[in-house]
Amino acid sequence: MHDVKTDAATGAAMDSAWSGGTPPFAMGSKKLGMWLFIVSDTLTFSVLLITYTYSRLTNPDWPKPFPMNPAIIFSTTMTVVLLASSLTMVMAVMAAQRNDRKAAVLWIIATMAGGLSFMGLHLREWFHLFEEGATITHNPWGTPQFGAVFFGITGMHMTHVLIGVIYLGIVATGYGRGKFSAEDVEVNGLYWHFVDLVWMFVFPLIYLMSVKY
Amino acid sequence: MNTNTHAEEAHAGASVGTNLAIWIGLVAITGLEVFLAYKQLQPTLMLTILVVLSLVKAAMIMSYFMHLKFEKFSLVLWLVPAMIFCICMMMIFFFPEAFRLLQLRPH
């Protein structure tokens, strides 16, 4: 408090975030808004994963439809693909910050390719489960809740990936044409890394907790 | 001017090498998780280890890929405790009631 300089005429504090006129977290409103969205979406996924964990541990006949080979190897590949797309997004943000528009757009396109590959692999996994008789209300292995939980949580995540790919496409186009700034790429990056972060919980909790030996 | 300097500092982030090291670390932890699944641990122990490893991965992604380590610390203080508080509240209210309902389940 003693270090705060005051304006001689008004007595108001200067050089302080509380005096107004400066962003308190030294970032733009778009980035701050994305962080707030991420916090709220974290809570949405937390609810889904907490209730899933409860169902998983309290049902002794919880289905275990994922053999190490091929299902776990397949889902591990999906995880590495999504992680790789996060790394390409980091490169896109770094390119945008040094104002290299061409490189940034190419890295964003690489990120979109990663996202689309993840979705393709995931849909293949879904169709394989459909062929085995698993639906949202029924499965041939045990507790019927499995379908609702599996398709609900992975479907919610895949919706986020799809929205992320569309969002990346819009930002790549806008940034390439000079309409968007580096901050827009960074905010897009925050969303994409969040989608990756959620999968870091979905993959072990859904797949690795239901391995068929 | 002061604000611009802060913004530039915040945007500095980690180097390509550091980000690559973080990425390799994330892949390695994923590999460890798959190895644990292969070892067939008891479900509650397995769940505990997986949640801890996932939290470590989440912290790595948030700190480096999402630049939280390089933002003003007041942002971390604003976001993270509020999020943890909300998750704790959900768990405090959800589990006792859920386990009470479980005891009412017909056998």
Side-chain angles (χ1 to χ4, degrees):
Chain A
M1 286 297 287
H2 299 292
D3 296 335
V4 176
K5 293 174 190 169
T6 53
D7 187 289
T10 62
M14 291 166 66
D15 294 338
S16 159
W18 298 102
S19 60
T22 56
F25 298 114
M27 63 169 67
S29 55
K30 289 177 191 173
K31 198 166 153 186
L32 196 57
M34 182 54 81
W35 269 113
L36 288 175
F37 167 75
I38 286 170
V39 168
S40 70
D41 221 21
T42 301
L43 297 178
T44 306
F45 276 104
S46 300
V47 170
L48 292 171
L49 289 170
I50 288 170
T51 47
Y52 155 73
T53 308
Y54 168 78
S55 304
R56 170 68 186 84
L57 292 182
T58 53
N59 284 294
D61 61 341
W62 190 262
K64 292 179 179 175
F66 306 118
M68 288 302 285
N69 188 12
I72 296 299
I73 293 174
F74 198 77
S75 52
T76 307
T77 309
M78 283 159 53
T79 308
V80 174
V81 166
L82 201 60
L83 276 172
S85 76
S86 248
L87 190 63
T88 55
M89 193 67 226
V90 168
M91 300 305 290
V93 172
M94 288 176 105
Q97 281 168 356
R98 59 172 190 269
N99 219 13
D100 187 347
R101 285 184 187 265
K102 194 180 170 188
V105 169
L106 287 174
W107 283 117
I108 294 174
I109 290 169
T111 309
M112 288 170 76
L116 288 171
S117 307
F118 175 85
M119 281 181 66
L121 291 168
H122 209 338
L123 284 172
R124 208 181 141 185
E125 171 83 24
W126 270 33
F127 285 113
H128 180 67
L129 286 170
F130 289 151
E131 282 169 15
E132 290 192 345
T135 65
I136 202 156
T137 55
H138 172 79
N139 69 78
W141 308 295
T143 309
Q145 282 173 326
F146 170 81
V149 163
F150 177 81
F151 293 114
I153 295 178
T154 58
M156 180 79 165
H157 180 262
M158 217 189 323
T159 308
H160 277 72
V161 177
L162 177 64
I163 292 169
V165 170
I166 296 168
Y167 183 13
L168 283 165
I170 293 168
V171 169
T173 311
Y175 186 70
R177 288 180 180 174
K179 286 184 180 175
F180 290 160
S181 66
E183 191 198 10
D184 294 306
V185 179
E186 195 183 350
V187 173
N188 192 179
L190 283 178
Y191 177 86
W192 191 257
H193 296 312
F194 171 70
V195 169
D196 187 22
L197 189 153
V198 169
W199 186 254
M200 294 303 117
F201 287 88
V202 174
F203 168 64
L205 294 181
I206 302 279
Y207 285 90
L208 298 183
M209 287 295 291
S210 301
V211 177
K212 180 165 79 180
Y213 296 106
Chain B
M1 287 302 287
N2 198 17
T3 310
N4 290 340
T5 315
H6 274 303
E8 280 161 22
E9 280 170 9
H11 286 162
S15 65
V16 176
T18 309
N19 281 318
L20 196 61
I22 292 293
W23 186 80
I24 291 168
L26 289 167
V27 174
I29 295 174
T30 306
L32 175 63
E33 288 174 340
V34 175
F35 175 73
L36 290 173
Y38 183 73
K39 296 296 280 181
Q40 303 186 40
L41 300 176
Q42 191 258 335
T44 316
L45 176 66
M46 178 73 175
L47 179 74
T48 311
I49 297 172
L50 287 180
V51 169
V52 170
L53 288 176
S54 296
L55 287 171
V56 171
K57 285 161 85 177
M60 286 163 78
I61 292 173
M62 284 174 73
S63 302
Y64 288 91
F65 289 0
M66 296 169 87
H67 287 191
L68 204 54
K69 190 176 186 290
F70 308 97
E71 302 291 357
K72 286 183 86 171
F73 190 61
S74 55
L75 181 76
V76 180
L77 290 178
W78 189 52
L79 295 175
V80 178
M83 197 164 68
I84 292 171
F85 174 77
C86 288
I87 293 172
C88 288
M89 289 300 280
M90 280 194 293
M91 292 177 85
I92 287 166
F93 283 103
F94 175 77
F95 282 105
E97 206 57 12
F99 282 113
R100 190 181 69 80
L101 287 173
L102 192 66
Q103 284 163 3
L104 298 175
R105 185 166 62 174
H107 293 284

